[in-house]
């Protein structure tokens, strides 16, 4: 698992203009199905993507991202091993916050968490069925 931290280097207007291409990039983490969670930092100085895949594939997908390839943002790719999670929680999301390619998540949809990750299962939103949760 990887934490990708995008840091904006261009004005926010440039980032907004590139946003649709960022999500629609056919070689990117969203189209390749690697992204699990994503969203902007607050204040809006960058963003974070939690992704799964082989490091080389993640690096190639991030390099192809229009934010990165245009120089509008830099990206740090940090390896991450899930060792603990909190109790199940609801994550609110509005339609305006969801990229077109993402699976919509209702504001009352629970995310189920577990202490260990089963890489053979499909863990796409809106529900995450992880071992150890009923």
């Amino acid at each position: 698992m990887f934490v990708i931290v995008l840091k904006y280097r261009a004005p926010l207007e440039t980032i907004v203009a590139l946003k649709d291409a960022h999500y629609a990039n056919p070689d990117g983490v969203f189209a390749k199905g690697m992204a699990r969670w994503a969203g902007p930092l607050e204040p809006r100085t960058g963003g974070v993507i939690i992704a799964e895949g082989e490091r080389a594939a993640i690096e190639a997908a991030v390099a192809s991202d229009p934010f990165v390839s245009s120089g509008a943002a830099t990206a740090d790719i940090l390896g991450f091993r899930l060792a603990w999670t909190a109790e199940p929680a609801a994550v609110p999301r509005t339609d305006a916050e969801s990229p077109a390619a993402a699976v919509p998540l209702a504001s009352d949809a629970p995310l189920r968490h577990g202490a260990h990750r089963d890489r053979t299962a499909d863990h796409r939103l809106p529900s995450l069925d992880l071992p150890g949760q009923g």
Side-chain angles (χ1 to χ4, degrees):
M1 188 175 305
F2 296 89
V3 177
I4 303 162
V5 180
L6 297 169
K7 297 174 189 171
Y8 300 154
R9 297 292 179 234
L12 193 53
E13 297 80 28
T14 302
I15 298 301
V16 170
L18 290 170
K19 186 175 76 167
D20 288 343
H22 163 71
Y23 288 119
N25 175 18
D27 296 319
V29 295
F30 299 101
K32 297 279 186 182
M34 297 178 203
R36 297 296 177 242
W37 299 276
L41 294 174
E42 294 180 10
R44 191 103 184 260
T45 58
V48 173
I49 302 167
I50 308 298
E52 288 185 314
E54 298 297 322
R55 178 174 275 282
I58 296 284
E59 289 173 352
V62 170
S64 76
D65 188 291
F67 287 165
V68 175
S69 64
S70 72
T74 60
D76 292 324
I77 302 171
L78 309 169
F80 173 76
R81 183 179 55 82
L82 181 64
W84 181 89
T85 62
E87 293 297 317
V91 177
R93 180 183 290 173
T94 66
D95 289 339
E97 294 171 328
S98 299
V103 176
L105 179 64
S107 62
D108 62 345
L111 292 178
R112 297 188 333 193
H113 300 275
H116 300 284
R117 182 118 176 131
D118 176 3
R119 294 196 176 274
T120 63
D122 184 7
H123 299 290
R124 296 180 190 235
L125 294 176
S127 66
L128 300 174
D129 294 320
L130 301 177
Q133 298 295 313

